[in-house]
Amino acid sequence: VCVFECVPKEQCSTSNPNRAFADPETGLCLPCSVQGCKVCDKRDTCSQCHDGFELNDDGSACVFYLDKSWHFDRIVTCAVYTVVALVLLGVIWRYVKGGHHNREENMKSIMRARRYRHLCKVHNWQ
């Protein structure tokens, strides 16, 4: 089955993102050799990249935005800040929430148990 659509050369990548090059000789939309390219001037030169990509200076590559802007040190810094924030939230939660809800009652029980243990021991009462 051969299915195609007649479109202006500016809309080649709109109907099929993998075919961004409008070949003037054949009148067909052909694949561009530049990955992430939305509009190809030549088979190996891009003039406009898809969303999320940035065109380099000579038009030979579309660089994924996060690869260009998010360097390893920024990612590590964000991870460290996230861990520190989680630890701080845990400490604050523990402080605000306090101890166990039966803490006072538990302490009374412990004191009664200690007194009972003390009284149960053999003592020299003289």
mmCIF file of all heavy atoms in Angstrom, residues 80-117:
data_model
loop_
_atom_site.group_PDB
_atom_site.id
_atom_site.type_symbol
_atom_site.label_atom_id
_atom_site.label_comp_id
_atom_site.label_asym_id
_atom_site.label_seq_id
_atom_site.Cartn_x
_atom_site.Cartn_y
_atom_site.Cartn_z
ATOM 1 N N VAL A 80 21.619 16.381 45.680
ATOM 2 C CA VAL A 80 22.068 16.658 47.051
ATOM 3 C C VAL A 80 21.064 17.555 47.767
ATOM 4 O O VAL A 80 20.690 17.296 48.917
ATOM 5 C CB VAL A 80 23.482 17.286 47.045
ATOM 6 C CG1 VAL A 80 23.841 17.849 48.408
ATOM 7 C CG2 VAL A 80 24.510 16.266 46.605
ATOM 8 N N TYR A 81 20.612 18.614 47.105
ATOM 9 C CA TYR A 81 19.619 19.500 47.714
ATOM 10 C C TYR A 81 18.324 18.753 48.041
ATOM 11 O O TYR A 81 17.692 19.007 49.062
ATOM 12 C CB TYR A 81 19.314 20.695 46.810
ATOM 13 C CG TYR A 81 20.368 21.770 46.838
ATOM 14 C CD1 TYR A 81 20.721 22.450 45.687
ATOM 15 C CD2 TYR A 81 21.014 22.112 48.012
ATOM 16 C CE1 TYR A 81 21.694 23.444 45.699
ATOM 17 C CE2 TYR A 81 21.981 23.099 48.039
ATOM 18 C CZ TYR A 81 22.311 23.754 46.884
ATOM 19 O OH TYR A 81 23.260 24.737 46.910
ATOM 20 N N THR A 82 17.928 17.838 47.182
ATOM 21 C CA THR A 82 16.721 17.059 47.424
ATOM 22 C C THR A 82 16.876 16.190 48.668
ATOM 23 O O THR A 82 15.977 16.131 49.515
ATOM 24 C CB THR A 82 16.389 16.192 46.200
ATOM 25 O OG1 THR A 82 16.225 17.043 45.059
ATOM 26 C CG2 THR A 82 15.119 15.385 46.414
ATOM 27 N N VAL A 83 18.013 15.523 48.791
ATOM 28 C CA VAL A 83 18.255 14.672 49.955
ATOM 29 C C VAL A 83 18.284 15.510 51.231
ATOM 30 O O VAL A 83 17.675 15.150 52.246
ATOM 31 C CB VAL A 83 19.565 13.869 49.787
ATOM 32 C CG1 VAL A 83 19.968 13.194 51.082
ATOM 33 C CG2 VAL A 83 19.417 12.843 48.676
ATOM 34 N N VAL A 84 18.977 16.645 51.190
ATOM 35 C CA VAL A 84 19.044 17.525 52.365
ATOM 36 C C VAL A 84 17.642 18.013 52.739
ATOM 37 O O VAL A 84 17.280 18.040 53.923
ATOM 38 C CB VAL A 84 19.998 18.710 52.109
ATOM 39 C CG1 VAL A 84 19.871 19.770 53.179
ATOM 40 C CG2 VAL A 84 21.430 18.213 52.015
ATOM 41 N N ALA A 85 16.857 18.388 51.760
ATOM 42 C CA ALA A 85 15.496 18.862 52.030
ATOM 43 C C ALA A 85 14.648 17.753 52.661
ATOM 44 O O ALA A 85 13.889 18.010 53.603
ATOM 45 C CB ALA A 85 14.836 19.363 50.745
ATOM 46 N N LEU A 86 14.784 16.533 52.174
ATOM 47 C CA LEU A 86 14.022 15.419 52.742
ATOM 48 C C LEU A 86 14.435 15.140 54.183
ATOM 49 O O LEU A 86 13.584 14.886 55.039
ATOM 50 C CB LEU A 86 14.194 14.168 51.883
ATOM 51 C CG LEU A 86 13.498 14.202 50.529
ATOM 52 C CD1 LEU A 86 13.853 12.972 49.715
ATOM 53 C CD2 LEU A 86 11.994 14.295 50.707
ATOM 54 N N VAL A 87 15.738 15.193 54.467
ATOM 55 C CA VAL A 87 16.212 14.985 55.837
ATOM 56 C C VAL A 87 15.682 16.093 56.747
ATOM 57 O O VAL A 87 15.204 15.833 57.857
ATOM 58 C CB VAL A 87 17.753 14.912 55.887
ATOM 59 C CG1 VAL A 87 18.275 14.974 57.304
ATOM 60 C CG2 VAL A 87 18.239 13.635 55.201
ATOM 61 N N LEU A 88 15.754 17.335 56.281
ATOM 62 C CA LEU A 88 15.225 18.455 57.070
ATOM 63 C C LEU A 88 13.729 18.300 57.341
ATOM 64 O O LEU A 88 13.270 18.539 58.460
ATOM 65 C CB LEU A 88 15.483 19.772 56.349
ATOM 66 C CG LEU A 88 16.754 20.492 56.742
ATOM 67 C CD1 LEU A 88 17.060 21.597 55.750
ATOM 68 C CD2 LEU A 88 16.627 21.066 58.128
ATOM 69 N N LEU A 89 12.990 17.908 56.330
ATOM 70 C CA LEU A 89 11.558 17.696 56.519
ATOM 71 C C LEU A 89 11.303 16.587 57.540
ATOM 72 O O LEU A 89 10.390 16.693 58.361
ATOM 73 C CB LEU A 89 10.882 17.359 55.190
ATOM 74 C CG LEU A 89 10.669 18.530 54.250
ATOM 75 C CD1 LEU A 89 10.144 18.041 52.905
ATOM 76 C CD2 LEU A 89 9.702 19.528 54.851
ATOM 77 N N GLY A 90 12.112 15.539 57.508
ATOM 78 C CA GLY A 90 11.971 14.459 58.479
ATOM 79 C C GLY A 90 12.238 14.933 59.898
ATOM 80 O O GLY A 90 11.509 14.581 60.827
ATOM 81 N N VAL A 91 13.285 15.730 60.066
ATOM 82 C CA VAL A 91 13.614 16.251 61.396
ATOM 83 C C VAL A 91 12.504 17.183 61.889
ATOM 84 O O VAL A 91 12.071 17.099 63.046
ATOM 85 C CB VAL A 91 14.981 16.975 61.368
ATOM 86 C CG1 VAL A 91 15.218 17.765 62.639
ATOM 87 C CG2 VAL A 91 16.100 15.976 61.130
ATOM 88 N N ILE A 92 12.034 18.064 61.029
ATOM 89 C CA ILE A 92 10.963 18.984 61.407
ATOM 90 C C ILE A 92 9.689 18.210 61.753
ATOM 91 O O ILE A 92 9.021 18.498 62.745
ATOM 92 C CB ILE A 92 10.709 20.016 60.280
ATOM 93 C CG1 ILE A 92 11.901 20.959 60.178
ATOM 94 C CG2 ILE A 92 9.417 20.784 60.523
ATOM 95 C CD1 ILE A 92 11.869 21.855 58.960
ATOM 96 N N TRP A 93 9.361 17.211 60.954
ATOM 97 C CA TRP A 93 8.168 16.413 61.211
ATOM 98 C C TRP A 93 8.277 15.724 62.571
ATOM 99 O O TRP A 93 7.332 15.698 63.337
ATOM 100 C CB TRP A 93 7.982 15.378 60.104
ATOM 101 C CG TRP A 93 6.785 14.500 60.335
ATOM 102 C CD1 TRP A 93 5.487 14.804 60.102
ATOM 103 C CD2 TRP A 93 6.801 13.178 60.871
ATOM 104 N NE1 TRP A 93 4.680 13.752 60.446
ATOM 105 C CE2 TRP A 93 5.466 12.734 60.918
ATOM 106 C CE3 TRP A 93 7.802 12.328 61.301
ATOM 107 C CZ2 TRP A 93 5.116 11.484 61.383
ATOM 108 C CZ3 TRP A 93 7.450 11.069 61.767
ATOM 109 C CH2 TRP A 93 6.125 10.660 61.809
ATOM 110 N N ARG A 94 9.450 15.175 62.865
ATOM 111 C CA ARG A 94 9.669 14.499 64.148
ATOM 112 C C ARG A 94 9.535 15.491 65.307
ATOM 113 O O ARG A 94 8.965 15.168 66.341
ATOM 114 C CB ARG A 94 11.046 13.840 64.151
ATOM 115 C CG ARG A 94 11.383 13.102 65.399
ATOM 116 C CD ARG A 94 10.569 11.851 65.508
ATOM 117 N NE ARG A 94 10.991 11.137 66.703
ATOM 118 C CZ ARG A 94 10.269 10.280 67.335
ATOM 119 N NH1 ARG A 94 9.086 9.974 66.866
ATOM 120 N NH2 ARG A 94 10.710 9.681 68.407
ATOM 121 N N TYR A 95 10.055 16.680 65.127
ATOM 122 C CA TYR A 95 9.982 17.700 66.174
ATOM 123 C C TYR A 95 8.539 18.151 66.407
ATOM 124 O O TYR A 95 8.085 18.265 67.535
ATOM 125 C CB TYR A 95 10.857 18.898 65.803
ATOM 126 C CG TYR A 95 10.807 20.014 66.813
ATOM 127 C CD1 TYR A 95 11.459 19.898 68.031
ATOM 128 C CD2 TYR A 95 10.099 21.181 66.546
ATOM 129 C CE1 TYR A 95 11.397 20.911 68.970
ATOM 130 C CE2 TYR A 95 10.034 22.196 67.468
ATOM 131 C CZ TYR A 95 10.693 22.061 68.684
ATOM 132 O OH TYR A 95 10.621 23.061 69.599
ATOM 133 N N VAL A 96 7.811 18.419 65.327
ATOM 134 C CA VAL A 96 6.433 18.902 65.432
ATOM 135 C C VAL A 96 5.521 17.776 65.916
ATOM 136 O O VAL A 96 4.687 17.980 66.800
ATOM 137 C CB VAL A 96 5.942 19.456 64.073
ATOM 138 C CG1 VAL A 96 4.456 19.733 64.088
ATOM 139 C CG2 VAL A 96 6.715 20.705 63.714
ATOM 140 N N LYS A 97 5.674 16.626 65.342
ATOM 141 C CA LYS A 97 4.818 15.493 65.689
ATOM 142 C C LYS A 97 5.113 15.005 67.096
ATOM 143 O O LYS A 97 4.226 14.535 67.791
ATOM 144 C CB LYS A 97 5.053 14.373 64.676
ATOM 145 C CG LYS A 97 4.277 13.129 64.921
ATOM 146 C CD LYS A 97 2.968 13.171 64.213
ATOM 147 C CE LYS A 97 2.343 11.779 64.335
ATOM 148 N NZ LYS A 97 0.949 11.808 64.392
ATOM 149 N N GLY A 98 6.363 15.121 67.518
ATOM 150 C CA GLY A 98 6.735 14.682 68.863
ATOM 151 C C GLY A 98 6.959 13.188 68.896
ATOM 152 O O GLY A 98 7.126 12.533 67.884
ATOM 153 N N GLY A 99 6.964 12.668 70.109
ATOM 154 C CA GLY A 99 7.200 11.238 70.298
ATOM 155 C C GLY A 99 5.947 10.426 70.038
ATOM 156 O O GLY A 99 4.976 10.881 69.444
ATOM 157 N N HIS A 100 5.972 9.238 70.560
ATOM 158 C CA HIS A 100 4.847 8.328 70.425
ATOM 159 C C HIS A 100 3.637 8.894 71.164
ATOM 160 O O HIS A 100 3.775 9.540 72.205
ATOM 161 C CB HIS A 100 5.261 6.967 71.012
ATOM 162 C CG HIS A 100 4.324 5.878 70.661
ATOM 163 N ND1 HIS A 100 3.271 5.543 71.474
ATOM 164 C CD2 HIS A 100 4.269 5.054 69.587
ATOM 165 C CE1 HIS A 100 2.601 4.547 70.923
ATOM 166 N NE2 HIS A 100 3.194 4.230 69.786
ATOM 167 N N HIS A 101 2.459 8.640 70.689
ATOM 168 C CA HIS A 101 1.262 9.228 71.301
ATOM 169 C C HIS A 101 0.987 8.676 72.706
ATOM 170 O O HIS A 101 0.281 9.294 73.477
ATOM 171 C CB HIS A 101 0.051 9.043 70.381
ATOM 172 C CG HIS A 101 -0.336 7.609 70.162
ATOM 173 N ND1 HIS A 101 0.341 6.796 69.290
ATOM 174 C CD2 HIS A 101 -1.312 6.857 70.712
ATOM 175 C CE1 HIS A 101 -0.206 5.595 69.305
ATOM 176 N NE2 HIS A 101 -1.207 5.602 70.145
ATOM 177 N N ASN A 102 1.546 7.529 73.066
ATOM 178 C CA ASN A 102 1.376 6.960 74.402
ATOM 179 C C ASN A 102 2.626 7.142 75.256
ATOM 180 O O ASN A 102 2.832 6.411 76.211
ATOM 181 C CB ASN A 102 1.044 5.468 74.311
ATOM 182 C CG ASN A 102 -0.341 5.223 73.779
ATOM 183 O OD1 ASN A 102 -1.212 6.073 73.911
ATOM 184 N ND2 ASN A 102 -0.549 4.071 73.182
ATOM 185 N N ARG A 103 3.450 8.077 74.914
ATOM 186 C CA ARG A 103 4.735 8.229 75.587
ATOM 187 C C ARG A 103 4.567 8.436 77.101
ATOM 188 O O ARG A 103 5.234 7.768 77.895
ATOM 189 C CB ARG A 103 5.496 9.410 74.981
ATOM 190 C CG ARG A 103 6.843 9.635 75.597
ATOM 191 C CD ARG A 103 7.525 10.840 74.975
ATOM 192 N NE ARG A 103 8.744 11.120 75.676
ATOM 193 C CZ ARG A 103 9.941 10.930 75.192
ATOM 194 N NH1 ARG A 103 10.078 10.465 73.979
ATOM 195 N NH2 ARG A 103 10.996 11.201 75.902
ATOM 196 N N GLU A 104 3.682 9.310 77.510
ATOM 197 C CA GLU A 104 3.500 9.587 78.938
ATOM 198 C C GLU A 104 2.988 8.357 79.679
ATOM 199 O O GLU A 104 3.483 7.996 80.750
ATOM 200 C CB GLU A 104 2.535 10.758 79.108
ATOM 201 C CG GLU A 104 2.497 11.306 80.513
ATOM 202 C CD GLU A 104 1.641 12.566 80.587
ATOM 203 O OE1 GLU A 104 1.696 13.395 79.665
ATOM 204 O OE2 GLU A 104 0.923 12.690 81.601
ATOM 205 N N GLU A 105 2.023 7.689 79.083
ATOM 206 C CA GLU A 105 1.482 6.472 79.698
ATOM 207 C C GLU A 105 2.533 5.366 79.761
ATOM 208 O O GLU A 105 2.633 4.638 80.749
ATOM 209 C CB GLU A 105 0.261 6.005 78.904
ATOM 210 C CG GLU A 105 -0.485 4.862 79.542
ATOM 211 C CD GLU A 105 -1.709 4.470 78.747
ATOM 212 O OE1 GLU A 105 -2.327 5.358 78.132
ATOM 213 O OE2 GLU A 105 -2.032 3.280 78.749
ATOM 214 N N ASN A 106 3.337 5.261 78.709
ATOM 215 C CA ASN A 106 4.405 4.261 78.697
ATOM 216 C C ASN A 106 5.420 4.529 79.805
ATOM 217 O O ASN A 106 5.896 3.594 80.462
ATOM 218 C CB ASN A 106 5.113 4.241 77.342
ATOM 219 C CG ASN A 106 4.261 3.624 76.252
ATOM 220 O OD1 ASN A 106 3.243 3.006 76.538
ATOM 221 N ND2 ASN A 106 4.681 3.811 75.012
ATOM 222 N N MET A 107 5.779 5.782 80.011
ATOM 223 C CA MET A 107 6.738 6.114 81.055
ATOM 224 C C MET A 107 6.181 5.768 82.441
ATOM 225 O O MET A 107 6.897 5.269 83.308
ATOM 226 C CB MET A 107 7.128 7.598 80.994
ATOM 227 C CG MET A 107 8.029 7.942 79.830
ATOM 228 S SD MET A 107 9.511 6.937 79.722
ATOM 229 C CE MET A 107 10.372 7.445 81.188
ATOM 230 N N LYS A 108 4.900 5.992 82.672
ATOM 231 C CA LYS A 108 4.272 5.618 83.942
ATOM 232 C C LYS A 108 4.339 4.107 84.150
ATOM 233 O O LYS A 108 4.642 3.629 85.249
ATOM 234 C CB LYS A 108 2.815 6.090 83.975
ATOM 235 C CG LYS A 108 2.656 7.585 84.141
ATOM 236 C CD LYS A 108 1.183 7.956 84.144
ATOM 237 C CE LYS A 108 1.000 9.460 84.198
ATOM 238 N NZ LYS A 108 -0.412 9.852 84.137
ATOM 239 N N SER A 109 4.076 3.364 83.077
ATOM 240 C CA SER A 109 4.140 1.894 83.172
ATOM 241 C C SER A 109 5.548 1.427 83.472
ATOM 242 O O SER A 109 5.751 0.501 84.272
ATOM 243 C CB SER A 109 3.648 1.255 81.871
ATOM 244 O OG SER A 109 2.299 1.556 81.667
ATOM 245 N N ILE A 110 6.540 2.041 82.869
ATOM 246 C CA ILE A 110 7.933 1.677 83.116
ATOM 247 C C ILE A 110 8.292 1.956 84.572
ATOM 248 O O ILE A 110 8.943 1.129 85.239
ATOM 249 C CB ILE A 110 8.870 2.427 82.144
ATOM 250 C CG1 ILE A 110 8.707 1.876 80.730
ATOM 251 C CG2 ILE A 110 10.327 2.325 82.589
ATOM 252 C CD1 ILE A 110 9.409 2.681 79.666
ATOM 253 N N MET A 111 7.879 3.083 85.098
ATOM 254 C CA MET A 111 8.177 3.434 86.494
ATOM 255 C C MET A 111 7.494 2.460 87.463
ATOM 256 O O MET A 111 8.097 2.028 88.454
ATOM 257 C CB MET A 111 7.759 4.875 86.793
ATOM 258 C CG MET A 111 8.540 5.922 85.996
ATOM 259 S SD MET A 111 10.314 5.740 86.085
ATOM 260 C CE MET A 111 10.593 6.248 87.752
ATOM 261 N N ARG A 112 6.261 2.052 87.174
ATOM 262 C CA ARG A 112 5.568 1.059 88.010
ATOM 263 C C ARG A 112 6.290 -0.282 87.960
ATOM 264 O O ARG A 112 6.435 -0.965 88.981
ATOM 265 C CB ARG A 112 4.105 0.903 87.560
ATOM 266 C CG ARG A 112 3.199 2.019 88.015
ATOM 267 C CD ARG A 112 1.720 1.673 87.820
ATOM 268 N NE ARG A 112 1.384 1.286 86.461
ATOM 269 C CZ ARG A 112 0.891 2.112 85.539
ATOM 270 N NH1 ARG A 112 0.670 3.374 85.845
ATOM 271 N NH2 ARG A 112 0.613 1.671 84.340
ATOM 272 N N ALA A 113 6.742 -0.655 86.753
ATOM 273 C CA ALA A 113 7.456 -1.925 86.603
ATOM 274 C C ALA A 113 8.775 -1.896 87.366
ATOM 275 O O ALA A 113 9.154 -2.894 88.012
ATOM 276 C CB ALA A 113 7.701 -2.208 85.125
ATOM 277 N N ARG A 114 9.481 -0.800 87.332
ATOM 278 C CA ARG A 114 10.738 -0.686 88.087
ATOM 279 C C ARG A 114 10.482 -0.778 89.596
ATOM 280 O O ARG A 114 11.230 -1.430 90.326
ATOM 281 C CB ARG A 114 11.436 0.635 87.754
ATOM 282 C CG ARG A 114 12.105 0.647 86.410
ATOM 283 C CD ARG A 114 12.813 1.957 86.193
ATOM 284 N NE ARG A 114 13.499 1.965 84.898
ATOM 285 C CZ ARG A 114 14.046 3.039 84.377
ATOM 286 N NH1 ARG A 114 13.988 4.200 85.022
ATOM 287 N NH2 ARG A 114 14.653 2.979 83.219
ATOM 288 N N ARG A 115 9.451 -0.107 90.048
ATOM 289 C CA ARG A 115 9.121 -0.163 91.491
ATOM 290 C C ARG A 115 8.758 -1.578 91.887
ATOM 291 O O ARG A 115 9.213 -2.079 92.917
ATOM 292 C CB ARG A 115 7.976 0.800 91.803
ATOM 293 C CG ARG A 115 7.540 0.731 93.253
ATOM 294 C CD ARG A 115 6.755 1.953 93.636
ATOM 295 N NE ARG A 115 6.087 1.824 94.895
ATOM 296 C CZ ARG A 115 6.678 1.730 96.090
ATOM 297 N NH1 ARG A 115 7.979 1.731 96.173
ATOM 298 N NH2 ARG A 115 5.958 1.644 97.187
ATOM 299 N N TYR A 116 7.951 -2.263 91.079
ATOM 300 C CA TYR A 116 7.555 -3.640 91.372
ATOM 301 C C TYR A 116 8.785 -4.544 91.423
ATOM 302 O O TYR A 116 8.929 -5.375 92.325
ATOM 303 C CB TYR A 116 6.557 -4.124 90.310
ATOM 304 C CG TYR A 116 6.141 -5.560 90.497
ATOM 305 C CD1 TYR A 116 5.200 -5.901 91.469
ATOM 306 C CD2 TYR A 116 6.684 -6.567 89.711
ATOM 307 C CE1 TYR A 116 4.820 -7.213 91.651
ATOM 308 C CE2 TYR A 116 6.310 -7.885 89.892
ATOM 309 C CZ TYR A 116 5.378 -8.205 90.859
ATOM 310 O OH TYR A 116 5.010 -9.512 91.047
ATOM 311 N N ARG A 117 9.684 -4.388 90.448
ATOM 312 C CA ARG A 117 10.915 -5.186 90.408
ATOM 313 C C ARG A 117 11.750 -4.933 91.664
ATOM 314 O O ARG A 117 12.294 -5.867 92.261
ATOM 315 C CB ARG A 117 11.720 -4.832 89.149
ATOM 316 C CG ARG A 117 12.979 -5.639 89.002
ATOM 317 C CD ARG A 117 13.592 -5.343 87.633
ATOM 318 N NE ARG A 117 14.825 -6.081 87.495
ATOM 319 C CZ ARG A 117 16.046 -5.540 87.531
ATOM 320 N NH1 ARG A 117 16.170 -4.244 87.680
ATOM 321 N NH2 ARG A 117 17.117 -6.288 87.404
#
